[in-house]
Each structure stands twice: as C-alpha cells, then as structure tokens.
Amino acid sequence: MKIYNVPLTLVDSLKTKEIIVRSPTPTDLLHYLSEIQSDNLIGIQLLSVEKDNSILSEIELSIPIELNIDDPSSEYSKLYNYVELSRRVDFKVSIKVKPDFEKAVKVALSLGYQVKLEVGQPDDTLVNNLIEIFKHYLSNPTVTCPVEFFHSVLIAFFHKHSTNIWEIQDEDPSSNIYIKDNGQKALSMRLNEIILEDNVDNFLDERRLQLLIEQGECATCRFFTYCIGYFKIPDNSYRCNKILELFDIIKTAADQLRLDLQETNKHDGAHE
Ligand code: SF4
C-alpha cells in the first residue's frame, strides 16, 4: 500500500488513494473534513500547536492524529492542551530534534502520548540528548508509549530482523509519498526539496548501491543495513561518529534484553 501525505487543498486530486491529510490548524481541518472521502483517509497531521484547540472536541474521528512540534522550546508546554484529544483518538506527537526537544519528549511521555522523533542531522549536543532520551525511554518504568525511531530499531536489533530507518520514519517512497503544497512529489516533509520521479519504488535499492559504489563512510558502516545512508541527506558531508554511538547504545540494550530473556527462560525451564 502506498500512502500519500497531502495538504487539505489537494485532497480532491488524490481522493482515490490512501491519504494522510495535513492541516495548518484545527479550524481548517474542521472546515474541510466533511468534503474528504473518509474511506481513503487514514490519518491526519496537524501542523501547528494551538493554545486553544477546543474546536477539536467538535471533531468525531476514528483515525490517528499526529501533531507536529516544530519548535520544541516554545511549544512543549502547549502539549498539555491535547490530553482530551489523546483519550479519544490514536494520538502521536512528532517532535523535531532541535534545542529543548528532550523537554517536549518528556512532557509527551508523561502525558501518555506516542512520540516520533524528526531527527534530521543532529549535532553532537543533540545526539547526547537523544542518548539521554533513549535511556529515559528504556529505563523509566512510567514510560508506557513508544518513542520512534528508537522503538523499532531496538526491536529490529533484538529480533535480528531487517528494517530500516527510512521505513520507520515514513520516508521510504515505495510506501510513503509527500505531496507538496504545489502538488510536486517530494521525499518527505523534512526533505521536501528532493523532488521525486514517477517511479521511486527502487529508491532504497538504488541508494544502497550508490553508497557502496561511492565507498564513503556508509560503505563500511556496521549499521548500513538499518540506515542506508539516512543521516547523509541533505548534507552528504555530515559525520556520523556520534550517531554510531547512539546506534551502539541501542544495540547493546537490545543484546542485553535478549540475554536477560534467555536467562529468564532457562531459569523458568529449570523449575518446570
Ligand atoms: S549511520 Fe551514517 S555512516 Fe552509517 S549508514 Fe547511516 S548515514 Fe551512513
């Protein structure tokens, strides 16, 4: 299934496809909602954090809502305004990894919201904060909701099965296409300057091959299978030493969880 992320104004041209509709404000959403064919609508993305979002209580929905936090330092305190909505729908906050993002993540988790990290190309300080948040996510018993991309990468390392961060972050164009406000197809909201050709189903295969031919940092990276050069776009000169530290910490945690589980199973078996 291919999912299209479309602005409210272009819903008509894609209404036969599976769509996630993005709306600048809850008011716009309410205005357009009755015109959207609900069969094809599989999600809503709210692009702004409103202080007063009482209008959302007028919306009857059974599909997931994702709220974008673009400026965590000024917006994290407004997350408290979404408790009522989060109890009615499958609710997730997508938080840009910028200064103070960790405050937003902790508030979101304390309120029981699912979190997705819009990670981009973080500097060393931000990666240190990502590591702190991963440890908080893993070890704090009050945290009950997933934090992506950590959660899926941890599960993949644990089960030793293959997934990749493009897929986890909904940025694999074989399954997710971002439609810009002008109608062009782009790689994602984060990478909306990268315009897609019509046939993009082989994007990741081609990227994998290109990175191996280039023989850069990715070609010998121990996490290549899971990453496929995700952190090298848009700036190919980005150095991954700190990101590798984060991946190593997630992998060590997954290995330890597996060992703990094996020990528990052995112990239980000995008592049967
Ligand atoms: S972690 Fe960095 S070096 Fe490794 S595959 Fe990803 S982008 Fe390439």
Side-chain angles (χ1 to χ4, degrees), residues 102-239:
E102 67 281 9
K103 288 184 187 166
V105 175
K106 284 182 180 171
V107 170
L109 291 174
S110 72
L111 295 170
Y113 304 162
Q114 301 168 63
V115 171
K116 177 183 173 192
L117 295 167
E118 287 293 338
V119 68
Q121 295 183 305
D123 63 22
D124 287 1
T125 305
L126 289 173
V127 180
N128 283 336
N129 291 339
L130 282 166
I131 291 170
E132 183 215 314
I133 284 296
F134 173 69
K135 290 177 179 171
H136 174 79
Y137 160 69
L138 195 67
S139 59
N140 191 319
T142 64
V143 175
T144 55
C145 288
V147 176
E148 293 292 9
F149 56 99
F150 295 157
H151 181 76
S152 294
V153 171
L154 181 75
I155 298 289
F157 286 157
F158 180 86
H159 290 294
K160 300 183 178 176
H161 71 61
S162 68
T163 183
N164 66 73
I165 196 162
W166 294 92
E167 200 179 316
I168 295 166
Q169 296 290 86
D170 301 326
E171 290 181 286
D172 173 358
S174 70
S175 50
N176 289 80
I177 300 275
Y178 182 80
I179 305 293
K180 293 174 64 154
D181 292 354
N182 65 6
Q184 285 180 309
K185 291 179 190 169
L187 196 47
S188 62
M189 182 182 289
R190 175 178 75 93
L191 298 170
N192 66 16
E193 296 301 315
I194 300 178
I195 304 303
L196 299 176
E197 306 292 328
D198 273 344
N199 187 358
V200 285
D201 287 355
N202 296 328
F203 172 82
L204 286 184
D205 288 338
E206 285 167 11
R207 177 141 186 81
R208 200 177 280 115
L209 189 63
Q210 179 199 346
L211 290 165
L212 292 173
I213 291 168
E214 277 174 14
Q215 283 295 301
E217 194 181 10
C218 296
T220 54
C221 176
R222 55 194 176 278
F223 298 111
F224 183 69
T225 313
Y226 299 94
C227 178
I228 320 171
Y230 183 87
F231 294 98
K232 294 290 184 184
I233 292 183
D235 179 3
N236 191 42
S237 66
Y238 179 81
R239 302 297 301 170

